[in-house]
Amino acid sequence: MMEYDPVFFSRTLTGLTLAFHILYATIGVGVPLMIAIAQWIGIKKNDEHYILLARRWTRGFIITVAVGVVTGTAIGLQLSLLWPNFMELAGHVISLPLFLETFAFFFEAIFLGIYLYTWDRFENQKKHMLLLIPVAIGASFSAFFITMVNAFMNTPQGFDIVNGALVNVDPIAAMFNPATPTKVAHVLTTAYMTSAFVLASIAAFHLFKGRDHIYHKKALYLTMKIGLIFSIATVIVGDFSGKFLAEYQPEKLAAAEWHFETEEGAPLMMFGWLGEDGEVRGALKIPYALSILAHSDPTAEVIGLNEFPEEDHPPYIVHYFFDLMVTIGMWLTFISAFYWIAVRRKWKVIKNKVFNFILVLSGPLSLIAIEMGWFYAEFGRQPWILRGYMRTPDGATSAAYVDTMLWLFAGLYLVLGTASIIVLLRMFKKNPVERELEDHAYERGEG
């Protein structure tokens, strides 16, 4: 029997909650923008297919919001129950963005309710679409504020500790810490990108199954184009993130690349494994790429892990998280660019079942990339829960109930995940596109 360790169970439960929540939260942030774009195009072109896209995406979005509310509430609860020492130290500093995140969500929820209730109550559909703008803004600002908290944990500022007491608290300085710009930008661009590829995956699946309706073709074209735009944006933001890490968290960047010795012209190492002698074997080395990522200079010096005490090294497994995130991100950029070019040049490959299946995989792959990114972000900060001030074991509870909580919440997430998938499948299976288009034509007196 494993000896009970509240720190281990606290970390496991928090990690499980975040891993589950981030999928729904990412969709919750990105899909409102997709809905707004589809409805705007539908109104501009007077195209019922894009209007129907907005309607159907909104229905699915409601399910993800409902689950996201539950898991988001669980995170707030677990911060207090599992990490009381951390909240005692940092809670006074980061309470403002936590409050603003809740306010942003309620702002989004209010206008989402009005938007849903008034679908057919406006003669001028442009006025109805305006209701979606605060929904999209609220969703994005919700991510903006909560990411500030995570950024604060990586580069804490806005307070002083004098004789063990917290003084000179400046919540604004804490919110706009050095990690905020790159972290917020990365979270938002990846949320938009992932949502686009998830929706593209659904459209590609229908085409793969032989449902050759123009609705699905328009859905795929729109979402792949949006996916390309935000995948390129993600690559750009990722470059800025690398330079941030080189300046503020060099040990995290070095761990991601198994870069142990400080050197100039450092290569980027993809995958591989660590031998017993500490040497990296079987890795794909890209010459000078790490120096370029860190400093935009192929001859620049990059600090190695050996410059830091071993007890401050992040877990070396973050190398694989980082590599998977980058590899998937580059693949999605390539495949979306290829699709766009193929459409423009009218290549027949886009009608090929194998190619459609590759597009079907883009949604699941983008979700895996999101998970890998957050694993890298959280594991890479270790051994700190508040970098430079508090190590993770020091922030955890010593209570004896955390293992029970883990099983209860794991059961809850299993039920929520299963139920949301079943509801979404049944919702759209009972309301196929063809039937909805016929119903709308009948309502307009065209049937």
Side-chain angles (χ1 to χ4, degrees):
M1 290 289 290
M2 184 181 70
E3 183 179 353
Y4 175 76
D5 180 2
V7 176
F8 169 79
F9 284 110
S10 294
R11 295 181 69 178
T12 303
L13 176 52
T14 305
L16 175 64
T17 301
L18 287 171
F20 186 74
H21 173 73
I22 196 62
L23 299 177
Y24 290 89
T26 298
I27 298 299
V29 171
V31 168
L33 180 63
M34 306 301 119
I35 298 170
I37 293 172
Q39 190 168 356
W40 176 73
I41 293 174
I43 293 171
K44 183 180 179 181
K45 294 185 175 183
N46 193 26
D47 190 322
E48 63 177 340
H49 295 124
Y50 288 105
I51 297 293
L52 185 58
L53 272 176
R55 283 179 180 261
R56 290 172 69 86
W57 289 349
T58 301
R59 293 183 204 137
F61 172 63
I62 297 302
I63 305 302
T64 62
V65 168
V67 177
V69 169
V70 176
T71 54
T73 303
I75 291 173
L77 173 67
Q78 289 170 19
L79 276 175
S80 299
L81 292 180
L82 304 182
W83 307 101
N85 299 329
F86 165 71
M87 290 302 292
E88 183 179 1
L89 173 64
H92 301 288
V93 188
I94 59 171
S95 56
L96 180 58
L98 288 172
F99 164 76
L100 290 174
E101 190 274 337
T102 304
F103 177 81
F105 169 74
F106 280 115
F107 180 77
E108 172 194 358
I110 290 169
F111 280 95
L112 177 60
I114 300 172
Y115 175 77
L116 289 169
Y117 182 71
T118 56
W119 254 112
D120 298 306
R121 295 174 181 267
F122 284 97
E123 291 185 12
N124 185 346
Q125 283 298 304
K126 291 181 181 179
K127 294 180 180 178
H128 178 249
M129 196 198 74
L130 290 176
L131 292 170
L132 197 57
I133 295 175
V135 176
I137 291 174
S140 295
F141 268 93
S142 182
F144 178 82
F145 291 125
I146 202 64
T147 305
M148 281 181 163
V149 177
N150 186 270
F152 169 79
M153 296 166 71
N154 287 273
T155 53
Q157 66 177 31
F159 65 95
D160 294 313
I161 297 179
V162 179
N163 298 324
L166 200 67
V167 297
N168 301 325
V169 173
D170 183 349
I172 302 300
M175 289 170 63
F176 293 95
N177 60 80
T180 293
T182 53
K183 273 199 166 290
V184 168
H186 197 67
V187 164
L188 291 177
T189 53
T190 53
Y192 302 142
M193 180 194 77
T194 301
S195 297
F197 282 118
V198 167
L199 296 173
S201 180
I202 295 170
F205 177 77
H206 286 290
L207 294 172
F208 176 76
K209 297 295 286 185
R211 298 165 193 150
D212 203 30
H213 197 285
I214 187 64
Y215 169 92
H216 302 303
K217 293 179 180 178
K218 289 180 179 179
L220 182 61
Y221 179 72
L222 173 63
T223 50
M224 287 297 288
K225 184 186 288 187
I226 297 173
L228 173 60
I229 292 169
F230 284 109
S231 61
I232 293 172
T234 298
V235 171
I236 295 170
V237 173
D239 179 69
F240 285 120
S241 297
K243 290 165 178 53
F244 159 80
L245 290 175
E247 181 175 356
Y248 290 96
Q249 291 180 287
E251 75 283 3
K252 186 174 181 178
L253 180 63
E257 289 304 316
W258 286 347
H259 179 68
F260 292 96
E261 299 294 336
T262 298
E263 63 176 310
E264 298 178 352
L268 192 74
M269 289 193 286
M270 301 292 290
F271 300 102
W273 66 91
L274 278 175
E276 293 182 2
D277 56 359
E279 293 295 319
V280 181
R281 293 185 170 83
L284 172 64
K285 292 187 179 182
I286 306 175
Y288 308 108
L290 183 57
S291 290
I292 294 171
L293 175 65
H295 302 290
S296 297
D297 180 353
T299 62
E301 180 180 85
V302 181
I303 299 174
L305 265 177
N306 291 341
E307 300 292 330
F308 304 93
E310 191 170 346
E311 61 269 19
D312 290 343
H313 288 192
Y316 296 159
I317 194 174
V318 299
H319 172 71
Y320 295 114
F321 299 151
F322 181 84
D323 286 353
L324 283 169
M325 175 188 68
V326 170
T327 302
I328 294 173
M330 297 306 295
W331 168 253
L332 293 174
T333 304
F334 166 76
I335 199 66
S336 55
F338 180 85
Y339 173 84
W340 183 79
I341 294 171
V343 170
R344 299 280 292 183
R345 294 183 175 270
K346 298 181 180 180
W347 292 343
K348 292 183 179 180
V349 68
I350 59 175
K351 297 180 180 180
N352 186 283
K353 272 211 164 190
V354 174
F355 184 72
N356 276 331
F357 183 72
I358 291 173
L359 297 184
V360 170
L361 296 178
S362 64
L365 283 174
S366 65
L367 292 173
I368 292 172
I370 286 290
E371 291 284 18
M372 292 302 101
W374 275 101
F375 284 176
Y376 172 60
E378 296 305 295
F379 279 81
R381 192 182 60 249
Q382 302 305 316
W384 305 98
I385 188 171
L386 189 64
R387 187 175 183 272
Y389 290 91
M390 179 181 286
R391 293 181 182 267
T392 301
D394 299 328
T397 182
S398 57
Y401 53 73
V402 186
D403 54 344
T404 304
M405 285 183 63
L406 173 60
W407 291 112
L408 289 174
F409 275 101
L412 172 65
Y413 302 148
L414 180 62
V415 170
L416 286 174
T418 304
S420 61
I421 293 171
I422 291 173
V423 169
L424 286 169
L425 289 176
R426 289 186 176 179
M427 179 189 297
F428 293 110
K429 189 175 182 180
K430 291 182 178 181
N431 295 281
V433 170
E434 294 80 2
R435 181 190 298 173
E436 287 205 52
L437 289 170
E438 289 175 5
D439 290 344
H440 292 159
Y442 180 80
E443 290 170 4
R444 295 192 304 268
E446 298 173 8

